């Protein structure tokens, strides 16, 4: 992943657009052919693919396993954004890098901000992990696709309605599975604070996160406080993530006497065979949580 400051990315963008003789201010939306939808993350692309099925093509700007909070766009991303007819973002502060990149790409493609209209708590952008909020995302995606490609309206409506039904069923499945966890065990220590909305929806408690600020090392004081809190609440499990080094998680588990270390998937789909899309990711995560907190 490229680690360069944003002004350099902007320079690249202008240089690339000039070098490739891309017409400034014209996205592919004006061109003939299918609608090209570009989603910022693999999770949004997963939901958008279901809405677009049989009509538009969808790709994810970020690769599988990349962390959206700390992503640095590559030059190729600017070219892809330039060719998109519709851009889908999470919003709520997740993709701070996206707006400067889109300016570099000279795109005027419409943007769907999926979290628009939802209430953001503690500046936390992970609203998609609440499947009830994901239904709101799907509606926003559907309406964005219909506006960008009115001729496909019937397909987008039918696809979105089918996906909405699957999300309603997912919510019910999660609720039923989590009800088997003894109430005193419903405390989680997570790697980064992605689980606020999921936990609020389903009555779990986030006792703390190892990483306070995405991409920065936690302080020794913060880790010490977390260990004290975990001991006091007899926390059953601590959750690592595939994108991050598990050494720190294992060290906290040992110090706090936490018996279970398990892996959760939250910012990216596709990092394991059982988390290939949004719904399978949340089913997998729910089964992991249920098992770890018994
Ligand atoms: Zn995250």
């Amino acid at each position: 992943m490229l680690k360069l400051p944003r002004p350099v990315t902007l320079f690249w963008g202008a240089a690339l657009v000039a070098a490739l003789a891309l017409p400034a201010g014209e996205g592919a939306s004006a061109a003939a052919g299918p609608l090209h939808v570009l989603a910022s993350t693999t999770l949004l692309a997963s939901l958008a693919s279901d809405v677009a099925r049989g009509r538009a093509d969808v790709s994810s700007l970020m690769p599988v396993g990349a962390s959206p909070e700390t992503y640095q766009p590559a030059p190729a991303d600017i070219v892809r954004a330039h060719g998109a007819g519709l851009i889908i973002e999470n919003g709520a502060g997740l993709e701070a890098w996206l707006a400067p990149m889109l300016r570099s790409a000279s795109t005027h493609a419409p943007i769907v901000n999926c979290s628009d209209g939802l209430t953001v708590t503690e500046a936390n952008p992970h609203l998609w992990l609440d499947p009830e909020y994901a239904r709101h995302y799907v509606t926003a995606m559907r309406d964005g696709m219909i506006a960008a490609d009115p001729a496909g309206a019937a397909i987008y409506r039918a696809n979105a309605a089918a996906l909405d039904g699957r999300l309603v069923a997912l919510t019910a499945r999660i609720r039923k599975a989590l009800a088997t966890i003894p109430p005193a065990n419903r405390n989680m220590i997570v790697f980064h604070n992605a689980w606020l909305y999921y936990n609020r929806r389903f009555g779990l408690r986030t006792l703390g996160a190892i990483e306070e600020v995405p991409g920065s090392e936690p302080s020794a004081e913060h880790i010490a406080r977390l260990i004290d809190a975990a001991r006091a609440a007899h926390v059953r499990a601590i959750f690592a993530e595939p994108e991050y080094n598990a050494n720190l998680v294992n060290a906290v588990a040992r110090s706090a006497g936490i018996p279970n270390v398990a892996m959760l998937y939250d910012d990216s789909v596709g990092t394991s065979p059982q988390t290939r899309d949004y719904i399978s990711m949340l089913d997998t995560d729910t089964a992991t949580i249920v098992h770890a907190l018994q």
Side-chain angles (χ1 to χ4, degrees):
M1 201 180 299
L2 293 156
K3 298 271 184 198
L4 288 162
R6 192 150 289 135
V8 177
T9 305
L10 286 169
F11 170 74
W12 277 347
L16 268 171
V17 169
L20 298 170
L22 299 173
E26 282 178 38
S29 53
L35 176 67
H36 297 291
V37 179
L38 185 63
S40 59
T41 74
T42 55
L43 269 156
L44 296 179
S46 166
L47 292 169
S49 298
D50 282 345
V51 179
R53 180 152 298 124
R55 178 74 191 177
D57 67 66
V58 177
S59 60
S60 167
L61 194 70
M62 288 177 46
V64 167
S67 171
E69 291 94 341
T70 56
Y71 186 62
Q72 295 280 345
D77 294 340
I78 295 165
V79 178
R80 292 173 67 208
H82 187 85
L86 181 68
I87 311 259
I88 294 178
E89 66 167 347
N90 182 73
L94 182 74
E95 311 102 326
W97 43 271
L98 186 64
M101 200 208 80
L102 294 178
R103 280 196 294 278
S104 301
S106 303
T107 173
H108 292 285
I111 299 171
V112 174
N113 179 331
C114 293
S115 62
D116 218 7
L118 295 174
T119 303
V120 177
T121 303
E122 295 164 17
N124 191 316
H126 301 86
L127 298 116
W128 64 87
L129 287 172
D130 177 348
E132 285 295 311
Y133 285 174
R135 298 176 66 198
H136 176 96
Y137 280 37
V138 167
T139 302
M141 290 175 183
R142 177 199 69 190
D143 292 347
M145 289 180 202
I146 290 173
D149 175 26
I155 296 175
Y156 300 131
R157 281 206 186 91
N159 286 346
L163 179 54
D164 187 69
R166 293 174 66 212
L167 293 172
V168 170
L170 172 67
T171 303
R173 224 162 36 240
I174 294 173
R175 208 179 284 290
K176 193 170 167 210
L178 295 179
T180 66
I181 301 172
N185 291 2
R186 294 178 187 175
N187 295 310
M188 291 167 72
I189 289 185
V190 294
F191 190 86
H192 89 298
N193 196 12
W195 294 86
L196 186 153
Y197 301 99
Y198 176 100
N199 283 359
R200 192 168 67 187
R201 174 71 61 194
F202 297 112
L204 300 177
R205 188 161 159 245
T206 310
L207 208 68
I210 288 184
E211 205 184 60
E212 288 175 290
V213 181
S216 5
E217 282 278 297
S219 68
E221 293 78 18
H222 171 69
I223 294 296
R225 274 198 306 274
L226 203 55
I227 289 169
D228 285 348
R231 284 206 186 109
H234 305 288
V235 166
R236 301 285 306 154
I238 186 165
F239 295 95
E241 295 178 36
E243 292 89 347
Y244 302 101
N245 188 326
N247 289 344
L248 189 54
V249 175
N250 290 323
V252 172
R254 271 196 306 277
S255 303
I258 296 173
N260 303 317
V261 177
M263 186 79 80
L264 289 182
Y265 303 85
D266 45 34
D267 281 354
S268 174
V269 294
T271 52
S272 80
Q274 59 288 18
T275 60
R276 67 197 177 281
D277 59 22
Y278 175 82
I279 289 177
S280 64
M281 184 190 84
L282 273 187
D283 275 327
T284 300
D285 284 332
T286 300
T288 300
I289 291 167
V290 167
H291 187 253
L293 295 185
Q294 291 300 327

